[in-house]
Amino acid sequence: MTQSQLRPPTMADVARQAGVSHQTVSRVLGDHPNVRDETRAKVLRAIEEMGYRRNFSARALATRRTRTLGVVASNTTLYGPASTLFALEEAARAEGYLVSTVSLRRLTVETLSEALDRLSEGGVEGVIAIAPQRSAVEALAELRHPFPVVAVGTGSGAQIPSVNVDQNLGARLATGHLLATGHRRVWHLAGPEDWQEAADRADGWRATLEEADIEPPMLLRGDWSPLSGYRAGQELAGWVGRGLTAVFVANDQMALGVLRALREAGVRTPQDVAVAGFDDIPESEFFAPPLTTVRQDFAAVGKQGIALLLDLIEGRTPCGTSQVSIEPQLVVRASTFPYLPQPGAAPG
Amino acid sequence: MTQSQLRPPTMADVARQAGVSHQTVSRVLGDHPNVRDETRAKVLRAIEEMGYRRNFSARALATRRTRTLGVVASNTTLYGPASTLFALEEAARAEGYLVSTVSLRRLTVETLSEALDRLSEGGVEGVIAIAPQRSAVEALAELRHPFPVVAVGTGSGAQIPSVNVDQNLGARLATGHLLATGHRRVWHLAGPEDWQEAADRADGWRATLEEADIEPPMLLRGDWSPLSGYRAGQELAGWVGRGLTAVFVANDQMALGVLRALREAGVRTPQDVAVAGFDDIPESEFFAPPLTTVRQDFAAVGKQGIALLLDLIEGRTPCGTSQVSIEPQLVVRASTFPYLPQPGAAPG
DNA sequence: CCATGAATTGTTAGCGCTCACAATGACCTC
DNA sequence: GAGGTCATTGTGAGCGCTAACAATTCATGG
């Protein structure tokens, strides 16, 4: 008989109904040993009958634990951040934590600080920041907060504990693959300057070329969007026939724009110009042509991020600057490899 | 001078330091009038010095309000859910609420019920469910919970308060556009049967044809993924020359797969077959060719969803079955309209 | 038959805050 | 100068739970 009073029932109400003390109810709910089976059954029945649910705030106040983590993110509609967010929540839930998210349009010192304040007032025990901009990581290192913070997706060299896919390695894999398939030189369309990951990818690209005694050509810049890739692609098309045969694009969305621009300019991929991307978004496999790209294991990032944060919260790890690195993986498709089925060429 | 004691300072500590009562500190923090400026300044200084932050749990316990909303979602890495999630959080934050998310891999009665329990134990005052599967909405209507629940993205006919983009109208816009550009018949690649939105889109498609006295051709089914679109596209390619000139695909990702399959089969878009999608994901504009599609205003869905939920929480709206509907918008691009620049044809 | 101790249950005191109300004092009016 | 009003501040009682300790019960062995 679910009762519908104004106030939801309290532990004391349940205790009265079951004829025990509230503490016994608490023991049953807390799975304590040393509760007689008969008593436990009585309590459980009362709980069921009254539709009782433990009050979160009271519990949190008494235990001084909210078992809630905060996440600060931006660009959450993009595949990478969205995947990371998903993995973080899943990992946190597996550890019995709830996740409160704050999604920012832009990561600045102000918005970040506001977000941390907000989460702090929301009682989180720790925060994960998906903070790819260099400025954001720096801000995080500066800001005072009463809980540990772990950064994720920050690229290399963060001053705070962080978990990252090895962007440099990813870029080496892509660039190396292009060289290995016969190209003499590889161009690069990079991401925004303020993003450490963009810098890491550019570094990996440059290093790979230099190690092969190839002088890196001019570097182009985009803002991760297909449109910026499209514009860069138009510029790149102008270099075809003048030494441009391969491009490593810093993400798949821009690569999509590049592909379109090349196609419009009558440049064939991969016959005339090979294109590689980064991220392996679900659509990449169906681009025209299917895109060679670097897959990041966002699920691993999420899992490791939560693991690190919980270590910090529980005090298992000293609050140093632990850095966790995750290996990316090259996915070869038709956009760089002429011997794979290459549908785009069929009608030509 | 930030002090670093074991226990974080309490309101009483601040009060002592400022030489006032804890209640006065509370008043300052709560922006009450009737606090002398001088006193307020003293308190603020003490707060600053001690690095004091109000304890969330104690506050929530005393006020019986957590100012936290829950969101249950699935497929959060897809553009639609991710956008909705983003809009929800932003809208909630604007109203002073924090958002706790639970992202499910699959929405079943069990996982849903577990998610609601979890959020309930997390003290949320209400929940938004991004629940596109029909079974999920039904489960939601059945499940008992001690807080209001609003469904979002459920398509038509939900038995609980909900906010939706008018899917039927969107399908009519797309199908009508294809008829208007001269096609005698329009095929349809639908989404999964269990999704009400997929059913709504199929209904809108069918109704548009029937109202024009056209018999709807066989309906194909996919699962929203580019791969399922690719497979359906291969099947569709077999009907070219036998009356197939236009396809309305239930989402952009599948449309991408269809485009690829058609291209592989030597079918040109839009000259041989016109293709329209649904969602307007950021990539659509850069598909080969750019995709005509139906744009959904996810931001509006988020805003309205939060507004409705808060109405329910504050008791401003009786707990009936309010339904909010949002209009979609047709975006015409080259995949259905030969007179637009049509890059894909250039090399042919 | 009582001491012994383990198992089980109850009692009390906070956790840190807000609310309702009481108290204080300054200022004004007649 | 008594009485009233207002602005400002303080006091005490919870909010609903858990942790620590106290109390009770019961079986057991000497």
Side-chain angles (χ1 to χ4, degrees):
Chain A
M1 182 170 46
T2 311
Q3 57 184 64
S4 54
Q5 40 184 37
L6 291 87
R7 288 248 192 295
T10 70
M11 198 170 261
D13 297 332
V14 174
R16 203 171 312 118
Q17 168 114 352
V20 298
S21 74
H22 64 131
Q23 181 56 19
T24 298
V25 178
S26 177
R27 287 198 185 94
V28 170
L29 253 25
D31 265 337
H32 276 252
N34 303 349
V35 177
R36 213 170 39 181
D37 284 350
E38 191 189 331
T39 311
R40 183 187 309 277
K42 255 195 316 194
V43 170
L44 288 176
R45 188 160 356 104
I47 288 176
E48 178 72 22
E49 279 174 14
M50 308 179 79
Y52 169 75
R53 321 193 72 132
R54 217 159 21 172
N55 179 295
F56 169 76
S57 309
R59 197 166 135 72
L61 179 58
T63 57
R64 298 152 173 275
R65 309 259 346 225
T66 57
R67 297 194 77 80
T68 300
L69 304 179
V71 175
V72 184
S74 64
N75 302 100
T76 47
T77 61
L78 296 183
Y79 180 70
S83 302
T84 309
L85 210 48
F86 175 73
L88 285 170
E89 193 279 320
E90 200 171 42
R93 182 146 38 93
E95 299 287 339
Y97 282 78
L98 223 47
V99 171
S100 279
T101 313
V102 174
S103 302
L104 269 11
R105 276 176 194 277
R106 300 182 319 115
L107 274 185
T108 66
V109 187
E110 290 78 36
T111 58
L112 239 181
S113 153
E114 205 179 314
L116 287 181
D117 279 355
R118 204 168 192 94
L119 288 172
S120 172
E121 301 245 301
V124 300
E125 296 183 19
V127 164
I128 303 252
I130 307 181
Q133 284 101 321
R134 214 177 279 131
S135 53
V137 191
E138 282 162 14
L140 276 176
E142 299 293 323
L143 289 167
R144 288 280 131 258
H145 23 68
F147 41 66
V149 173
V150 167
V152 145
T154 56
S156 64
Q159 295 300 305
I160 57 176
S162 64
V163 177
N164 286 290
V165 173
D166 188 335
Q167 306 294 326
N168 190 296
L169 174 57
R172 284 168 183 272
L173 290 174
T175 311
H177 162 72
L178 288 167
L179 292 180
T181 49
H183 297 276
R184 314 298 313 245
R185 215 170 173 207
V186 178
W187 293 53
H188 182 47
L189 169 54
E193 280 196 84
D194 188 34
W195 288 54
Q196 184 60 44
E197 292 188 332
D200 290 349
R201 291 174 200 178
D203 288 348
W205 160 76
R206 192 177 297 109
T208 307
L209 293 186
E210 284 170 354
E211 281 161 20
D213 275 328
I214 301 168
E215 188 183 343
M218 173 185 78
L219 177 144
L220 304 184
R221 276 209 187 274
D223 63 5
W224 301 130
S225 74
L227 180 60
S228 71
Y230 178 71
R231 298 220 171 101
Q234 291 176 319
E235 189 172 347
L236 287 167
W239 291 86
V240 176
R242 296 192 285 152
L244 173 69
T245 66
V247 187
F248 164 46
V249 184
N251 80 336
D252 287 359
Q253 300 219 354
M254 290 198 295
L256 177 62
V258 168
L259 289 177
R260 178 177 167 198
L262 293 178
R263 192 166 55 239
E264 281 185 30
V267 177
R268 294 168 307 167
T269 306
Q271 294 90 332
D272 303 327
V273 173
V275 176
F278 208 109
D279 273 356
D280 195 25
I281 63 177
E283 288 86 359
S284 304
E285 190 182 349
F286 296 87
F287 284 178
L291 187 70
T292 290
T293 186
V294 178
R295 180 178 299 162
Q296 311 196 60
D297 189 347
F298 295 111
V301 172
K303 203 170 292 183
Q304 299 284 338
I306 293 294
L308 181 53
L309 182 57
L310 292 187
D311 277 355
L312 256 29
I313 290 174
E314 316 273 350
R316 290 191 289 261
T317 297
C319 298
T321 315
S322 332
Q323 305 284 341
V324 178
S325 183
I326 290 163
E327 278 204 15
Q329 190 189 346
L330 183 70
V331 179
V332 176
R333 300 206 183 96
S335 71
T336 60
F337 200 62
Y339 309 110
L340 286 177
Q342 216 299 84
Chain B
M1 182 172 46
T2 310
Q3 56 183 62
S4 53
Q5 39 185 39
L6 291 87
R7 288 249 192 293
T10 70
M11 197 170 264
D13 297 331
V14 174
R16 202 172 312 116
Q17 168 114 353
V20 298
S21 74
H22 64 130
Q23 180 56 21
T24 298
V25 178
S26 176
R27 286 197 186 94
V28 170
L29 253 26
D31 264 337
H32 274 254
N34 303 349
V35 176
R36 214 167 40 176
D37 285 350
E38 191 188 331
T39 312
R40 182 186 310 276
K42 256 194 316 194
V43 170
L44 288 175
R45 187 159 357 104
I47 288 176
E48 179 71 20
E49 279 175 15
M50 309 179 79
Y52 169 75
R53 321 194 71 133
R54 213 158 25 170
N55 179 295
F56 168 77
S57 309
R59 197 167 135 72
L61 179 57
T63 58
R64 299 152 173 273
R65 309 258 349 222
T66 56
R67 297 196 76 80
T68 300
L69 303 180
V71 175
V72 184
S74 65
N75 301 101
T76 48
T77 61
L78 296 184
Y79 179 70
S83 302
T84 308
L85 211 48
F86 175 73
L88 285 171
E89 193 280 321
E90 199 172 42
R93 181 148 36 91
E95 299 285 341
Y97 282 77
L98 223 49
V99 171
S100 278
T101 312
V102 174
S103 302
L104 269 11
R105 278 178 191 276
R106 300 182 318 114
L107 274 185
T108 66
V109 186
E110 290 77 35
T111 58
L112 239 180
S113 152
E114 206 179 313
L116 287 180
D117 279 354
R118 203 164 193 98
L119 289 172
S120 172
E121 302 246 302
V124 300
E125 297 183 17
V127 165
I128 302 254
I130 308 181
Q133 283 102 320
R134 215 177 276 134
S135 55
V137 191
E138 282 162 15
L140 232 37
E142 300 294 321
L143 290 167
R144 288 279 131 258
H145 23 69
F147 42 66
V149 174
V150 166
V152 144
T154 55
S156 63
Q159 295 299 306
I160 57 175
S162 65
V163 176
N164 285 290
V165 173
D166 188 335
Q167 305 294 325
N168 189 297
L169 174 58
R172 283 168 183 271
L173 290 174
T175 311
H177 162 72
L178 288 166
L179 292 180
T181 49
H183 297 278
R184 314 299 313 244
R185 217 167 171 208
V186 177
W187 292 53
H188 182 48
L189 169 54
E193 280 196 84
D194 188 34
W195 288 54
Q196 184 59 43
E197 292 188 332
D200 290 349
R201 290 174 201 178
D203 288 348
W205 160 76
R206 194 176 298 107
T208 307
L209 293 185
E210 284 171 352
E211 282 161 20
D213 276 328
I214 301 168
E215 189 182 342
M218 173 185 77
L219 177 143
L220 305 183
R221 277 209 185 275
D223 63 7
W224 300 131
S225 75
L227 180 59
S228 70
Y230 179 71
R231 297 217 173 104
Q234 291 176 319
E235 188 172 347
L236 286 167
W239 290 86
V240 175
R242 296 192 286 153
L244 172 69
T245 66
V247 187
F248 165 45
V249 184
N251 80 336
D252 287 359
Q253 300 218 355
M254 290 199 294
L256 177 63
V258 168
L259 290 176
R260 178 178 167 198
L262 293 178
R263 193 167 54 237
E264 281 186 31
V267 178
R268 294 167 306 167
T269 306
Q271 295 89 332
D272 302 327
V273 172
V275 176
F278 209 110
D279 275 354
D280 195 25
I281 64 177
E283 288 86 359
S284 304
E285 190 181 350
F286 297 88
F287 284 178
L291 188 69
T292 290
T293 186
V294 178
R295 179 178 300 160
Q296 310 197 60
D297 188 347
F298 294 111
V301 172
K303 204 170 292 182
Q304 299 284 338
I306 293 294
L308 181 53
L309 182 57
L310 292 187
D311 277 356
L312 257 28
I313 290 174
E314 316 273 350
R316 288 191 292 260
T317 298
C319 300
T321 315
S322 333
Q323 305 285 340
V324 178
S325 182
I326 290 164
E327 277 203 16
Q329 191 189 346
L330 183 71
V331 179
V332 176
R333 300 205 183 95
S335 71
T336 61
F337 199 62
Y339 309 109
L340 286 178
Q342 217 300 84

